[in-house]
Amino acid sequence: CKNKPYPKTRFNRGVPDPKVKIFDLGRKKAHVDDFPVCIHLVSDEREQISSEALEAARICCNKYVVKNSGKESFHLRIRVHIDQILMSVRCRENNKHHVLEGLRRCKYKFP
């Protein structure tokens, strides 16, 4: 048991659950034609983004857009891949400025 992080191997079974529980928000089953505008939040640098930062950004953007344009007026998706889109939001043309403001607010959650 010397120099081991756990005294017995039976204590660490399996893999822990992901911290980000919800990857899709809004009206998930909407057809592509329902939301013609698609807005992305992209990272300019190659960096490691913590799951806590992704979760905080998701909550921030979702709260703002739901409060200002309604729960069924968009589809927000979290994407977790290196050097790619972090968040993408599909919406209608009349809700575009609400989504842009929500993404602007959530970008400050990232380091």
Side-chain angles (χ1 to χ4, degrees):
C1 284
K2 201 167 192 177
N3 298 328
K4 285 187 180 178
Y6 296 101
K8 299 196 183 310
T9 57
R10 70 172 181 250
F11 291 154
N12 49 2
R13 293 276 184 214
V15 179
D17 293 331
K19 301 260 176 103
V20 179
K21 298 280 185 195
I22 302 169
F23 290 92
D24 282 328
L25 293 162
R27 204 165 94 193
K28 296 173 228 152
K29 295 187 178 179
H31 195 263
V32 176
D33 297 332
D34 292 345
F35 299 136
V37 177
C38 188
I39 302 169
H40 301 296
L41 181 71
V42 181
S43 175
D44 290 337
E45 302 173 355
R46 188 180 172 93
E47 59 186 346
Q48 289 184 343
I49 296 175
S50 66
S51 60
E52 288 85 4
L54 273 172
E55 183 72 8
R58 177 188 71 84
I59 290 169
C60 179
C61 185
N62 184 46
K63 254 186 200 174
Y64 183 83
V65 176
V66 166
K67 186 174 87 174
N68 290 301
S69 66
K71 192 166 72 170
E72 297 293 315
S73 65
F74 69 100
H75 177 210
L76 184 143
R77 176 168 284 166
I78 302 289
R79 300 175 174 194
V80 284
H81 297 290
I82 298 172
D83 290 343
Q84 289 184 4
I85 298 167
L86 297 176
M87 298 171 74
S88 63
V89 184
R90 297 190 72 88
C91 65
R92 291 192 187 94
E93 189 68 39
N94 58 350
N95 295 327
K96 181 179 175 182
H97 59 282
H98 294 305
V99 172
L100 282 172
E101 177 63 19
L103 287 176
R104 187 194 68 78
R105 289 180 179 206
C106 82
K107 77 177 180 181
Y108 297 114
K109 304 291 182 185
F110 298 116

